[in-house]
């Protein structure tokens, strides 16, 4: 049974399922090449569909891909061939009665499944990934999220797989007559097939327990291969924090007696929220101080929380169809972001999220794959697990939170969970719950779900000294996106404050408020403030209160002033970013005009003040000192000139490094405290700033600075410090020494998958070291595996997505290389191929020369033969 040809699916065509499945009983007889799957389905006509469709019984459609059908029986009788028809993508059955039971037997080959969707093997262990449409690679089934069923799963496997897991509670276990193990799991909560999971392997586990707010004890288990058992503690602690947080902040308690997490090495994304049995990419769950960086510790905390939070926002209340994906993803990203903000530094978390949004989501919004948070159509749903659905979706939820306020938002979420528990619903249902719980009107606000593109707000202000009046005029527009020429004004919450000449916050109203939210609903609107005794400096879009590009003509001095005085920490950082962006944009202009580049004095002055202020949160200072990435700069301008971006950025960083060397050194030394590793916010902040200083110091290629890096590397205290030192040595030190250090690092860590991934990524993304030749060598390295997405992401992704310098080599070799890899990967794993092609999709934004090169690389992919639906959609939309 092959997959169907790529076809466009439309939201407007949604119809309720013709049939429901009340119970699903599955039996798996595991074998790498010949796994037998028996399913027993209790099916009935959906009363909703029957009401609208008259009395006749339409055929039953069961999705199925890459399955061998062995038998199919209805109510105990084998079905004659004329009752069913195998078609591309599934099976159509003639139905003769409104309720019946089907028994279907299929055969699958997990070992040959390199798509990592459905049932597959990772290092010899069986695991599954069913979201969005992977269950159809396991058995014939109505594989759509609005069909919710109670699942019972029996797994039979040889004794070398002692751990046999599925969703829910273990209800039976034993041995078969021929000595194989048999375990049965039952999940009492009805769920869609995308939340099904199965794991079988020779695994070890750590166990803990959590007592819920109503006093129920929940067993927590984290399963890994034996070699990783020492890396589970951080995830377990994070899980318990997340469980408590969801009780306190949302009133949500866990509902089963057991919650399991399994770590697997071969995984297409970060993790999956299968009911009661989360499956994680091992890089997103396993950590120890020696092997994982601070960034990894924080990523694990947030992903563990994200998947756990899905138990309510996604599992108990799920999506009606995949157009509603942001209903669970946007909401859950918002929940995990707030959790991380509560656990760590709120401002820093916000800065990280906004940076991602501005760099990558804005790019998506402006490119050929631009789509609304609730898309109108798709060809391959896997392509829609995007930054728009996730991050912009989370911004929409955040704006609702801002517009209604925290208490009202909680009333809305309570009503949403209560009203829709056990149901598959829509984004509209979420908004209606928010409105109904509060008597609010979000009519215009809804446009955020249906309108693609990043709105631009232009701001002008006017001060009338005589009347002591200050007014802000805001104009909004959203650029056209593919298929959406006309855009309507959105309801945009713009948080602001006003600063006086002494840096103090001005009072904005008679209640004494010093910040407020402007509700921009028209194309152009003026907001006036009374009793303002001096011309203020506005602090606009505080906390990034809406996912927009805001333009206001700040001078360099004003930005430096905001950097020091804005009461909003996010906007202090943002002022610094604006200053850096302005500086880098002038430098790019100078480079293009063949002029001598000006020393970036304003930035140097601003950074000098920052480095000498030991009161400021070091994490915030580190963020401020980091110049916008090349990718972000690419997104800012109208046309991408890769060489100019690299030259401007390198020049600015060098100039800063040389001018402020003594300050970087002093700060480095003050922060270089030798104490046992802890992943606390304070310690992470300290290491973050220390390693930022180290990178600047090494940029000067000064011997003493490189010696500091070497000492830090050799002290070997934790992976954060070791990898930062190694990166600095590789980037800025002599090549021979870098080669030797990399070699010894590899020898030390070659048994550790996660560290080897770090080692790959550090080289492929290095501006100086990660040449195409080096990347090819890495791909030939024995530790590289084309079938392992983490390795591919580290080497090929590191080069194409994080190595702006080498990837955009003027001869176009980077683009051709990527095209080759994408073509090869599409045969193995279409989802990964489709992700990797992203850097080529924005070819129109590059200068003519590069645009031509990228276009021909894309064209070559397009002409390379039959593409997967995933890759076909990306490439055809990019070339259109
Ligand atoms: N829901 C999964 C993502 C599934 C991606 C399928 N291609 C992980 C998450 O967002 O929590
Ligand atoms: Zn999610």
């Amino acid at each position: 049974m092959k997959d169907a040809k790529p076809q466009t699916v439309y939201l407007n065509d949604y119809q309720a399922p013709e049939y429901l499945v009340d119970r699903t009983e599955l039996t798996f007889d595991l074998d790498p090449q010949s796994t037998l799957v028996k399913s027993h389905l209790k099916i009935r006509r959906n009363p909703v569909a029957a009401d609208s469709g008259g009395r006749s019984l339409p055929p039953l459609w069961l999705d199925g891909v890459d399955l061998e059908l062995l038998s199919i029986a209805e109510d105990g009788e084998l079905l004659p061939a004329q009752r069913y028809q195998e078609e591309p993508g599934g099976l159509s059955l003639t139905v003769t009665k409104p309720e019946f039971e089907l028994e279907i037997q299929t055969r699958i080959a997990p070992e040959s499944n390199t798509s990592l969707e459905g049932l597959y093997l990772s290092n010899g262990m069986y695991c599954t990934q069913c979201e969005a449409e992977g269950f159809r690679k396991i058995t014939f089934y109505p594989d759509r999220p609005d069909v919710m069923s109670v699942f019972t799963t029996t797994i039979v496997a040889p004794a070398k797989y002692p751990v046999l897991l599925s969703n829910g509670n273990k209800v039976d276990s034993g041995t078969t007559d021929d000595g194989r193990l048999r375990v049965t799991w039952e999940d009492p909560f009805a769920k869609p097939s995308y939340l099904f999971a199965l794991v079988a392997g020779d695994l070890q586990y750590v166990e803990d327990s959590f007592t819920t707010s109503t006093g129920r004890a929940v067993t927590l288990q984290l399963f890994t291969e034996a070699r990783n058992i020492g890396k589970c503690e951080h995830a377990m602690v994070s899980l318990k924090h997340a469980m408590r947080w969801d009780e306190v902040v949302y009133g949500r308690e866990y509902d089963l007696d057991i919650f399991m997490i399994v770590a697997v090495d071969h995984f297409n994304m970060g993790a999956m929220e299968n009911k009661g049995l989360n499956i994680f990419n091992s890089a997103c769950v396993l950590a120890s101080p020696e092997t994982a960086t601070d960034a990894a510790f924080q990523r694990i905390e947030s992903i563990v929380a994200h998947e756990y939070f899905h138990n309510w926002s996604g599992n108990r209340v799920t999506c009606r169809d995949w157009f509603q994906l942001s209903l669970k993803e946007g909401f859950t990203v918002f929940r995990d972001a707030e959790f991380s903000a509560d656990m760590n530094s709120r401002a820093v978390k916000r800065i990280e999220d906004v940076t991602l949004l501005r760099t990558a989501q804005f790019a998506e919004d402006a490119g050929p794959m631009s789509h609304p948070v609730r898309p109108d159509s798709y060809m391959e749903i896997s392509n829609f697990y995007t930054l728009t659905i996730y991050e912009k979706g989370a911004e929409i939820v955040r704006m609702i939170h801002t517009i209604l306020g925290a208490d009202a938002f909680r009333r809305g979420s309570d009503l949403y969970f209560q009203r829709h528990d056990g149901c598959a619903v829509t984004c509209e249902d979420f908004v209606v719950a928010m409105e109904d719980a509060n008597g609010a009107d979000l009519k215009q606000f809804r446009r955020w779900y249906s309108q693609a593109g990043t709105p631009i707000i232009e701001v002008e202000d006017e001060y009338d000294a005589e009347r002591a009046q200050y007014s802000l005029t805001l104009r909004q527009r959203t650029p056209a996106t593919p298929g959406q020429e006309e855009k309507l004004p959105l309801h945009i919450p713009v948080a602001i404050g006003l600063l006086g000449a002494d840096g103090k916050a001005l009072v904005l109203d008679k209640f004494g408020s010093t910040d407020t939210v402007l509700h921009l609903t028209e194309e152009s609107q003026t907001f006036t403030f009374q009793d303002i005794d001096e011309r203020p400096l506005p602090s606009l879009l505080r906390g990034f209160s809406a996912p927009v590009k805001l333009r206001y003509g700040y001078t360099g001095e004003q930005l430096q002033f905001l950097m020091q005085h804005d009461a909003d920490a996010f906007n202090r950082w943002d002022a610094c970013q604006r200053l850096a962006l302005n500086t880098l944009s002038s430098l790019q202009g100078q480079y293009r005009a063949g002029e001598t580049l000006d020393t970036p004095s304003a930035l140097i002055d601003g950074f000098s003040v920052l480095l000498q202020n030991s009161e400021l949160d070091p994490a915030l200072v580190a963020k401020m000192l980091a110049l916008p990435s090349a990718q972000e700069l690419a997104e800012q301008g109208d046309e991408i000139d890769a060489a100019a971006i690299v030259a401007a950025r390198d020049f600015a960083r060098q100039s800063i490094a040389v001018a402020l060397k003594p300050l970087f050194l002093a700060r480095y030394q003050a922060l270089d405290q030798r104490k046992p590793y802890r992943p606390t916010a304070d310690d992470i902040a300290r290491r973050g700033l220390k390693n930022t200083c180290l990178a600047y110091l090494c940029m000067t290629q000064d011997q003493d600075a490189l010696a500091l890096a070497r000492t830090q590397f050799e002290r070997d205290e934790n992976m954060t410090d070791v990898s930062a030192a190694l990166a600095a040595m590789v980037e800025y030190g002599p090549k021979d020494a870098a080669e030797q250090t990399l070699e010894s690092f590899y020898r030390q860590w070659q048994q550790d998958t996660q560290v080897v991934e770090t080692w790959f990524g550090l080289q492929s993304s290095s501006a100086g070291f990660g040449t195409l030749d080096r990347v090819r060598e890495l791909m030939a390295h024995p530790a590289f595996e084309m079938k392992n997405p983490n390795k591919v992401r580290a080497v090929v992704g590191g080069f194409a997505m994080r190595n702006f310098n080498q990837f955009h080599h003027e001869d176009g070799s980077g683009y051709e290389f990527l095209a080759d890899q994408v073509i090869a990967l599409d045969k193995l794993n279409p989802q990964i191929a489709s992700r990797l092609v992203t850097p080529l999709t924005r070819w129109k934004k590059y200068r003519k020369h590069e645009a031509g090169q990228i276009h021909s690389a894309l064209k070559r992919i397009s002409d390379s033969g039959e593409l997967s639906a995933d890759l076909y959609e990306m490439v055809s939309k990019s070339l259109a």
Side-chain angles (χ1 to χ4, degrees):
M1 183 58 35
K2 289 305 291 174
D3 207 345
K5 287 258 166 295
Q7 277 175 359
T8 302
V9 189
Y10 296 92
L11 167 60
N12 280 340
D13 292 345
Y14 173 83
Q15 287 191 335
E18 301 285 5
Y19 296 92
L20 301 176
V21 185
D22 290 328
R23 286 197 67 91
T24 302
E25 284 166 25
L26 301 168
T27 304
F28 289 81
D29 198 333
L30 294 176
D31 180 89
Q33 277 304 337
S34 175
T35 287
L36 297 181
V37 184
K38 288 186 205 161
S39 78
H40 186 152
L41 311 177
K42 219 166 161 330
I43 298 178
R44 82 183 141 94
R45 179 90 170 108
N46 181 3
V48 173
D51 286 351
S52 57
R55 296 162 57 97
S56 67
L57 292 170
L60 166 66
W61 174 258
L62 300 174
D63 299 291
V65 170
D66 295 341
L67 304 172
E68 184 189 345
L69 177 63
L70 300 179
S71 69
I72 178 160
E74 182 192 61
D75 292 332
E77 302 272 328
L78 273 184
L79 269 190
Q82 64 272 24
R83 284 281 307 280
Y84 64 92
Q85 175 86 35
E86 279 200 71
E87 293 173 22
L91 195 67
S92 176
L93 254 104
T94 311
V95 177
T96 56
K97 40 193 165 181
E99 274 190 44
F100 54 101
E101 296 190 16
L102 279 185
E103 281 175 280
I104 308 173
Q105 290 203 49
T106 49
R107 194 197 329 257
I108 50 178
E111 195 174 45
S112 310
N113 180 359
T114 57
S115 70
L116 313 189
E117 214 191 7
L119 178 67
Y120 64 93
L121 285 167
S122 172
N123 297 343
M125 82 196 249
Y126 291 87
C127 57
T128 53
Q129 171 54 37
C130 293
E131 187 178 357
E133 297 181 337
F135 194 74
R136 62 190 62 185
K137 291 184 160 188
I138 292 177
T139 183
F140 288 99
Y141 200 80
D143 190 14
R144 45 187 289 170
D146 53 0
V147 172
M148 298 176 79
S149 182
V150 171
F151 280 68
T152 304
T153 306
T154 299
I155 311 168
V156 179
K160 66 176 178 171
Y161 302 105
V163 172
L164 304 176
L165 311 174
S166 191
N167 318 86
N169 304 309
K170 195 192 275 189
V171 291
D172 193 18
S173 65
T175 325
T176 60
D177 293 343
D178 58 358
R180 287 176 305 154
L181 302 175
R182 177 183 48 75
V183 174
T184 300
W185 293 82
E186 196 171 74
D187 180 358
F189 293 95
K191 65 169 177 288
S193 50
Y194 84 85
L195 290 172
F196 169 80
L198 175 154
V199 168
D202 183 6
L203 303 174
Q204 307 226 327
Y205 66 96
V206 294
E207 185 171 296
D208 206 329
S209 85
F210 178 84
T211 306
T212 69
S213 52
T214 61
R216 281 189 314 105
V218 179
T219 301
L220 311 176
Q221 291 176 334
L222 206 165
F223 293 83
T224 77
E225 294 165 65
R227 65 195 154 89
N228 288 322
I229 198 71
K231 293 187 178 181
C232 299
E233 187 192 335
H234 180 62
M236 189 62 95
V237 170
S238 303
L239 173 62
K240 289 192 284 182
H241 287 162
M243 294 178 87
R244 188 64 76 214
W245 188 91
D246 214 17
E247 293 182 344
V248 173
V249 180
Y250 281 87
R252 300 291 117 198
E253 190 179 328
Y254 186 62
D255 48 13
L256 287 164
D257 297 335
I258 183 164
F259 184 83
M260 297 173 284
I261 290 180
V262 182
V264 303
D265 279 349
H266 297 72
F267 209 63
N268 280 347
M269 64 272 173
M272 178 64 211
E273 69 264 24
N274 316 300
K275 183 80 189 185
L277 178 56
N278 286 190
I279 299 182
F280 272 64
N281 184 326
S282 43
C284 296
V285 63
L286 302 175
S288 70
E290 302 75 40
T291 61
T293 61
D294 289 337
F297 271 84
Q298 291 193 315
R299 186 176 66 221
I300 289 166
E301 181 182 64
S302 86
I303 299 181
V304 166
H306 178 100
E307 306 311 331
Y308 173 75
F309 295 154
H310 267 316
N311 191 52
W312 276 95
S313 49
N315 301 3
R316 290 285 288 253
V317 182
T318 195
C319 301
R320 185 193 75 173
D321 54 75
W322 292 120
F323 297 99
Q324 319 297 329
L325 180 56
S326 196
L327 172 76
K328 73 179 179 80
E329 296 304 347
F331 187 20
T332 306
V333 171
F334 172 70
R335 276 149 59 66
D336 85 56
E338 284 297 295
F339 166 74
S340 293
D342 285 347
M343 296 291 132
N344 304 287
S345 154
R346 178 162 284 272
V348 169
K349 173 63 181 158
R350 190 70 188 130
I351 288 166
E352 285 167 354
D353 290 348
V354 171
T355 303
L356 176 65
L357 200 79
R358 280 182 176 157
T359 309
Q361 195 280 323
F362 284 10
E364 189 169 273
D365 242 351
M369 283 294 290
S370 176
H371 55 276
V373 165
R374 183 185 51 223
D376 300 313
S377 68
Y378 59 77
M379 280 184 190
E380 171 51 63
I381 186 56
S382 296
N383 285 332
F384 283 76
Y385 285 74
T386 59
L387 289 147
T388 301
I389 302 292
Y390 276 65
E391 311 303 325
K392 187 174 180 182
E395 293 301 318
I396 293 184
V397 178
R398 180 177 297 280
M399 287 189 285
I400 296 179
H401 189 278
T402 303
I403 292 170
L404 299 179
D407 293 341
F409 183 87
R410 170 66 195 270
R411 281 194 291 277
S413 70
D414 282 351
L415 180 61
Y416 168 73
F417 288 127
Q418 178 222 322
R419 195 182 259 181
H420 301 298
D421 190 5
C423 301
V425 302
T426 62
C427 297
E428 176 63 14
D429 292 318
F430 181 80
V431 179
V432 169
M434 287 289 161
E435 289 181 321
D436 287 357
N438 296 294
D441 177 1
L442 295 169
K443 189 159 178 292
Q444 184 185 359
F445 183 83
R446 283 169 167 75
R447 286 178 189 159
W448 279 104
Y449 284 98
S450 54
Q451 194 163 283
T454 308
I456 298 167
I457 302 181
E458 313 265 3
V459 183
E460 279 171 18
D461 59 350
E462 206 176 296
Y463 181 62
D464 184 336
E466 247 166 62
R467 294 197 182 140
Q469 255 184 15
Y470 177 69
S471 54
L472 283 167
T473 299
L474 278 64
R475 286 188 189 83
Q476 62 162 307
R477 70 189 158 85
T478 304
T481 52
Q484 273 191 349
E485 289 304 315
E486 300 300 323
K487 304 284 182 179
L488 297 168
L490 296 163
H491 176 177
I492 308 178
V494 182
I496 65 133
L498 300 179
L499 277 74
D502 58 359
K504 296 251 167 57
L506 301 184
V507 171
L508 304 177
D509 56 27
K510 56 179 190 289
F511 308 108
S513 321
T514 53
D515 48 25
T516 190
V517 176
L518 309 178
H519 292 272
L520 176 62
T521 53
E522 319 269 321
E523 236 162 59
S524 171
Q525 239 168 307
T526 299
F527 302 87
T528 304
F529 302 89
Q530 310 292 347
D531 301 324
I532 305 291
D533 295 329
E534 56 176 313
R535 174 175 258 286
L537 180 62
S539 163
L540 302 164
L541 203 68
R542 281 187 160 171
F544 202 67
S545 60
V548 301
K549 295 182 181 173
L550 184 136
R551 296 188 182 149
Y552 173 82
Y554 287 116
T555 64
E557 288 74 35
Q558 288 175 328
L559 291 171
Q560 286 195 50
F561 188 81
L562 288 174
M563 272 170 72
Q564 287 175 46
H565 300 290
D566 200 320
D568 184 70
F570 175 86
N571 267 14
R572 280 210 299 282
W573 168 81
D574 201 39
C576 188
Q577 285 288 293
R578 283 173 190 266
L579 190 64
L581 286 169
N582 294 347
T583 308
L584 289 162
S585 145
S586 318
L587 288 172
Q588 285 182 60
Q590 290 161 9
Y591 175 86
R592 277 197 295 266
E595 296 166 5
T596 319
L597 307 190
D598 284 343
T599 307
S601 314
L603 270 186
I604 293 174
D605 293 348
F607 285 6
S608 163
V609 175
L610 283 175
L611 282 165
Q612 292 175 80
N613 185 342
S614 51
E615 306 282 290
L616 287 175
D617 172 5
L620 191 61
V621 176
K623 292 285 173 208
M624 290 169 97
L625 293 175
L627 295 185
S629 64
Q631 287 76 2
E632 191 172 348
L633 294 175
E635 198 33 50
Q636 291 293 326
D638 292 332
E639 184 185 68
I640 306 175
D641 181 339
I645 289 176
V646 171
R649 214 170 161 272
D650 282 355
F651 176 78
R653 291 198 307 164
Q654 278 290 338
S655 312
I656 294 163
V658 171
L660 302 178
K661 199 171 153 203
L663 292 179
F664 282 122
L665 184 61
R667 214 59 213 271
Y668 175 85
Q669 285 166 336
L671 292 162
D672 189 32
Q673 300 157 11
R674 306 191 57 184
K675 49 183 196 177
Y677 179 89
R678 286 185 319 151
T680 58
D682 285 351
D683 283 1
I684 290 175
R686 180 177 54 76
R687 283 187 290 270
L689 181 54
K690 178 183 81 169
N691 288 323
T692 300
C693 293
L694 182 67
Y696 271 110
L697 286 167
C698 291
M699 246 171 246
T700 62
Q701 300 189 330
D702 175 293
Q703 290 304 313
D704 296 346
L706 289 164
L708 277 184
R710 174 157 297 282
T711 308
Q712 180 171 313
F713 176 80
E714 284 171 355
R715 270 185 354 210
D716 198 7
E717 287 177 342
N718 57 69
M719 185 49 74
T720 306
D721 285 350
V722 168
S723 66
L726 181 59
M729 283 151 71
V730 167
E731 198 67 67
Y732 310 111
K735 186 140 193 292
D736 289 356
E739 292 284 10
Q740 278 176 18
T741 318
L742 280 166
E743 185 53 34
S744 75
F745 181 83
Y746 179 75
R747 270 201 307 277
Q748 182 181 356
W749 292 110
Q750 55 187 312
Q751 304 304 337
D752 189 294
T753 315
Q754 283 85 52
V755 181
V756 170
E757 285 160 13
T758 306
W759 179 81
F760 273 132
L762 196 140
Q763 297 174 69
S764 65
S765 63
S766 156
F769 200 86
T771 58
L772 184 53
D773 285 346
R774 164 63 51 158
V775 170
R776 289 191 196 282
E777 277 168 41
L778 293 174
M779 287 186 70
H781 192 279
F784 182 81
E785 235 190 298
M786 198 67 161
K787 290 184 183 164
N788 182 321
N790 287 3
K791 301 284 193 317
V792 172
R793 277 187 283 254
V795 177
V796 185
F799 177 71
M801 297 184 181
R802 289 181 292 283
N803 192 345
F804 204 80
N805 197 15
Q806 302 287 352
F807 177 61
H808 294 288
H809 195 288
E810 59 187 4
D811 62 8
S813 54
Y815 312 139
E816 290 303 324
F817 166 79
L818 185 60
D820 290 341
Q821 303 319 317
V822 165
I823 292 168
L825 276 162
D826 197 40
K827 312 267 182 295
L828 295 172
N829 188 331
Q831 283 184 25
I832 299 299
S834 168
R835 286 274 144 150
L836 270 185
V837 86
T838 307
L840 303 179
T841 60
R842 299 230 51 209
W843 62 276
K844 285 183 187 154
K845 210 181 169 192
Y846 286 83
R847 286 188 328 160
K848 203 162 166 226
H849 179 67
E850 288 91 351
Q853 291 171 327
I854 303 176
H855 182 266
S856 69
L858 270 175
K859 193 82 181 62
R860 194 156 63 77
I861 299 174
S862 163
D863 295 342
S864 69
E866 199 180 329
L867 304 183
S868 66
D870 310 57
L871 188 57
Y872 176 79
E873 175 167 39
M874 295 288 278
V875 172
S876 60
K877 287 185 175 171
S878 302
L879 288 172

